[in-house]
Amino acid sequence: MQLPYVYRVTKYDPADRDEHGHYTGTEDTVSDHGTIEAAYLQAVLAFAVETGIDRLSVREPQAPALASFGLERPLRNFGLEGLFPTGLTGFHEGAEVPLDIGLELVRLMLRDSGAWCRLEAEGTFAVHVGWDQYLYVSSSRPCEEALARTRALGLFPERLDASPYGFEAEEEGVQRPGNDDFWADLHRAVANGSARVLEETYLDGASRWHRLTHDTVDTVRAGVMPRARLAVWPLLSSDIDAVLRALPTEGLVEGVWQDNDGRIQSAIADETAFPELTARLRSATAAALLSVYAGESVPLFTAVMPDNDGVLRARWRTEPTPNDRNWALRHPEG
């Protein structure tokens, strides 16, 4: 839903723009971690208060997917572990946060710490952060007092028709619900030996992998994150040498491996990280290499988790597999 009042809020004086609209002033494009950053947050707070909202929903959350071996695990990255009791897993599609946590997420995005999302109160309010300290606030109200407050803080609000970071629906793909029918199909696939691994993507750039047996499917289902995107894969290969021979010389690839404790992990790596990825795979009990390019590595079937009331509110879609297309033909309303 496009809100009627959209403002771009920046520290860049419009007087310092050339005839093409490019900024020519001296303000840095990164956060000062100080008074200017605080002004941005106070401006967002002013718009939120005048709009009458005190909670925000996390939509389309993202985190960097490329592996950085040797750094802290993603759970501790991006400052998120200080905001959510469960760490990075608390930062998921549809997570509802109080306004103060929403402001801290805005701070992280202003600092370009890696984590990104849209923050929205449906039909009422939205905050989007773009490159180079460009912030976009949308409201159902004109927010004249917030505009005056923003100017008093030394920032420059400008009226726009729309935020360039507003959500645009994907036209391609499948959005099969991860409902009882999906999990019944998964039980059957596990029973006949075709399915052995479930990939659970709870935000773009972060996945959890689950080993599937007849006895664990229901336990896995109970622990899946809200609105997660699911992909079902066959058994990982125990022929590690064959997996390593398939590693390309350059480009991007996703490595998936099972360690000696039975845990499954994954990492997307480019050629600079291939030596470390190779070391991880050599110590694994089973592994696979997946292409990150659409259509090259195809899971058995996919789904998107609905909310507890059965309604699909997650916006993302999955790349259609042959089984997904068959499902869509049987359920044209999906």
Side-chain angles (χ1 to χ4, degrees):
M1 175 183 176
Q2 175 63 53
L3 294 170
Y5 300 97
V6 182
Y7 303 98
R8 181 174 70 180
V9 176
T10 74
K11 58 185 175 181
Y12 309 118
D13 191 334
D16 294 326
R17 295 185 183 277
D18 62 21
E19 65 273 18
H20 304 293
H22 300 142
Y23 179 68
T24 59
T26 59
E27 288 286 352
D28 203 342
T29 58
V30 298
S31 176
D32 67 343
H33 291 219
T35 56
I36 297 177
E37 177 184 275
Y40 273 103
L41 299 181
Q42 291 175 55
V44 174
L45 177 61
F47 278 100
V49 169
E50 190 166 352
T51 303
I53 64 103
D54 59 5
R55 301 189 70 81
L56 290 164
S57 292
V58 172
R59 304 307 307 264
E60 294 79 51
Q62 302 173 17
L66 197 62
S68 296
F69 292 111
L71 299 181
E72 295 284 355
R73 291 172 59 84
L75 188 65
R76 297 180 59 82
N77 279 347
F78 322 127
L80 293 172
E81 71 276 10
L83 299 182
F84 300 95
T86 56
L88 189 60
T89 56
F91 181 60
H92 61 79
E93 163 65 26
E96 190 173 276
V97 298
L99 184 55
D100 60 336
I101 300 300
L103 292 174
E104 289 304 312
L105 289 172
V106 171
R107 186 196 305 276
L108 291 176
M109 291 187 280
L110 288 170
R111 294 181 179 184
D112 196 19
S113 297
W116 188 88
C117 67
R118 295 180 176 90
L119 288 167
E120 301 178 1
E122 187 173 0
T124 306
F125 187 80
V127 179
H128 307 144
V129 178
W131 294 103
D132 298 336
Q133 304 283 285
Y134 283 80
L135 183 141
Y136 301 87
V137 180
S138 303
S139 176
S140 58
R141 303 178 184 179
C143 296
E144 296 294 343
E145 292 182 8
L147 287 169
R149 173 64 173 154
T150 299
R151 296 187 185 100
L153 289 164
L155 302 176
F156 301 92
E158 302 168 78
R159 181 77 182 270
L160 299 178
D161 292 331
S163 165
Y165 292 88
F167 173 73
E168 294 184 7
E170 300 176 25
E171 295 183 2
E172 301 296 328
V174 171
Q175 199 181 35
R176 178 183 181 181
N179 55 16
D180 290 344
D181 289 342
F182 167 83
W183 291 95
D185 285 349
L186 182 56
H187 264 292
R188 286 189 287 270
V190 170
N192 66 33
S194 60
R196 283 292 181 266
V197 178
L198 178 72
E199 178 185 9
E200 172 199 354
T201 302
Y202 55 93
L203 68 151
D204 260 351
S207 296
R208 298 193 299 183
W209 294 76
H210 307 277
R211 296 173 62 208
L212 298 174
T213 68
H214 174 73
D215 295 328
T216 62
V217 171
D218 291 338
T219 301
V220 168
R221 179 182 184 178
V224 165
M225 298 295 295
R227 304 188 185 184
R229 184 170 59 193
L230 308 178
V232 179
W233 298 90
L235 186 68
L236 302 180
S237 173
S238 59
D239 189 345
I240 301 299
D241 289 337
V243 173
L244 290 173
R245 286 195 297 271
L247 188 68
T249 57
E250 61 182 15
L252 289 174
V253 69
E254 183 171 14
V256 183
W257 66 92
Q258 179 177 302
D259 63 23
N260 290 324
D261 294 328
R263 295 174 301 182
I264 301 176
Q265 302 177 60
S266 72
I268 296 176
D270 61 13
E271 58 271 14
T272 64
F274 282 177
E276 181 61 28
L277 177 60
T278 297
R280 299 290 178 99
L281 297 180
R282 285 197 185 281
S283 64
T285 59
L289 295 175
L290 303 178
S291 172
V292 300
Y293 304 107
E296 293 188 3
S297 292
V298 181
L300 300 174
F301 50 97
T302 69
V304 178
M305 287 298 291
D307 287 348
N308 291 334
D309 59 3
V311 177
L312 258 179
R313 294 187 177 90
R315 292 168 174 165
W316 54 13
R317 292 177 176 269
T318 62
E319 292 292 332
T321 72
N323 281 326
D324 292 336
R325 293 188 185 96
N326 291 337
W327 171 86
L329 288 173
R330 299 194 307 270
H331 302 81
E333 73 281 0

